Amino acid sequence: MSESPEAPAHEARLLPGKPVADAVLADVAQRVAKLREGGVQPSLATILVGDDDASAGYIRIKQRQAGELGFVSPHEHLPATATQDDLHRVIDRLNADPAVHALLIQYPPPAHIDYDAALMTVDPDKDVDGMHPLNLGRLSVGLPGPRPCTPAGIEALLAHHDVPVAGREVVILGRGATIGRPLAMLLSQKRPTANAAVTVVHTGVPDWQRYTRRAEILIAAAGVPGIIQPEHVRPGATVIGAGVRYEGRRLLPDVAEEVATVAGAITPRVGGVGPTTVAMLFRNAIEAAEKAAGVSR
């Protein structure tokens, strides 16, 4: 008697970020063209301190993307020996330049530079990363302003792939200022693509797995490679991998590949949240340009 064939392994639906980013960037390009037709040249300025190869590469990618979208992208490259005051003087000059609509300080700077102190000196309306304390305050009370790019990208990714969020239980593993905390504020707001019951948990909680196992939507943002394993996930849940760590040039995500055998939907290891983060940076930039030009939407 022949053995019966094994049942096919479960395969989660993939939630790639590229189609989300493509849609956002297409909208940005149209808005850039409209401003340029009206005599306004949208501008995204970048600042790099030091000579880190990876950071310089990220700046080149952003500048190339800016050019393709129709932005001008003036760049300030300070030597690794630059002081905090040197950096603040450059920021002050760009803040005062009406031709510069958005401003990016490449992270991380050299160890002797206080990034948070530099960020505090950026004009909040030019803060393309959406991380200035004033903009996080605007987010907390639902006022307009640039949104943190990765959280905004995650909301857009869920909406694009028709993952229901309103009324569902969302658990975020990670309480960082760049993802966990602002994402919780964003997804709990009363909006068709949000309005969730959100729990933020972190690795300092001994039984954090108790929370992740009940999530209908689980967002991993701990920055601990492979921390989310199949046994930590509710079967059929949507899993978003937002936390990564680099080992040299190797990307190590928070979500183990085996989680795809349990999840109902999951972001790919590469090309998930990353493309949406970049797209939201340019959405913030065009909104800053429109605001400076007095264009309301």
Side-chain angles (χ1 to χ4, degrees):
M1 183 175 178
S2 62
E3 295 183 3
S4 58
E6 292 184 6
H10 170 81
E11 189 103 15
R13 176 168 71 105
L14 283 180
L15 306 174
K18 187 176 184 303
V20 188
D22 287 347
V24 171
L25 293 175
D27 175 65
V28 168
Q30 291 179 354
R31 292 159 71 177
V32 169
K34 187 172 181 179
L35 280 185
R36 293 178 67 176
E37 288 170 5
V40 177
Q41 173 58 69
S43 171
L44 167 62
T46 58
I47 302 174
L48 174 65
V49 184
D51 301 301
D52 180 76
D53 287 343
S55 292
Y58 294 139
I59 287 288
R60 285 193 295 271
I61 291 169
K62 290 166 186 171
Q63 286 187 311
R64 181 171 64 247
Q65 182 76 76
E68 291 172 356
L69 292 170
F71 287 87
V72 295
S73 188
H75 179 58
E76 297 285 345
H77 184 187
L78 281 68
T81 55
T83 66
Q84 192 81 29
D85 285 344
D86 292 333
L87 175 56
H88 289 191
R89 278 191 289 271
V90 170
I91 294 170
D92 289 344
R93 176 163 49 80
L94 295 172
N95 281 342
D97 186 348
V100 172
H101 302 119
L103 174 57
L104 165 71
I105 308 168
Q106 182 60 43
Y107 183 87
H112 69 281
I113 295 292
D114 185 335
Y115 176 82
D116 291 332
L119 180 62
M120 285 288 289
T121 68
V122 173
D123 179 344
D125 288 338
K126 296 187 179 187
D127 166 33
V128 77
D129 284 316
M131 292 304 301
H132 190 285
L134 179 60
N135 288 325
L136 293 178
R138 287 168 168 168
L139 170 62
S140 72
V141 294
L143 292 176
R147 298 298 188 232
C149 297
T150 300
I154 290 170
E155 182 180 2
L157 186 147
L158 291 168
H160 180 92
H161 289 292
D162 296 319
V163 176
V165 175
R168 303 186 81 194
E169 183 159 16
V170 174
V171 174
I172 303 168
L173 179 62
R175 56 181 169 183
T178 56
I179 303 178
R181 279 177 279 166
L183 180 58
M185 288 191 286
L186 201 63
L187 292 185
S188 62
Q189 290 176 349
K190 193 170 183 180
R191 211 170 34 254
T193 54
N195 207 30
V198 183
T199 299
V200 178
V201 68
H202 52 84
T203 55
V205 176
D207 60 345
W208 57 262
Q209 303 91 339
R210 175 166 65 93
Y211 297 89
T212 64
R213 279 194 291 264
R214 75 186 195 202
E216 295 172 276
I217 299 172
L218 173 59
I219 300 163
V224 179
I227 189 171
I228 297 295
Q229 297 289 327
E231 62 268 24
H232 304 145
V233 177
R234 173 178 174 165
T238 296
V239 179
I240 306 295
V244 296
R245 184 176 293 176
Y246 284 89
E247 189 177 89
R249 292 185 173 273
R250 189 175 170 220
L251 182 146
L252 303 174
D254 280 8
V255 180
E257 291 184 21
E258 295 79 9
V259 170
T261 65
V262 176
I266 192 168
T267 50
R269 181 177 178 276
V270 178
V273 170
T276 68
T277 297
V278 175
M280 292 302 156
L281 183 144
F282 286 104
R283 189 174 74 177
N284 282 343
I286 190 57
E287 288 178 353
E290 289 171 340
K291 182 175 181 179
V295 174
S296 60
R297 290 181 62 84

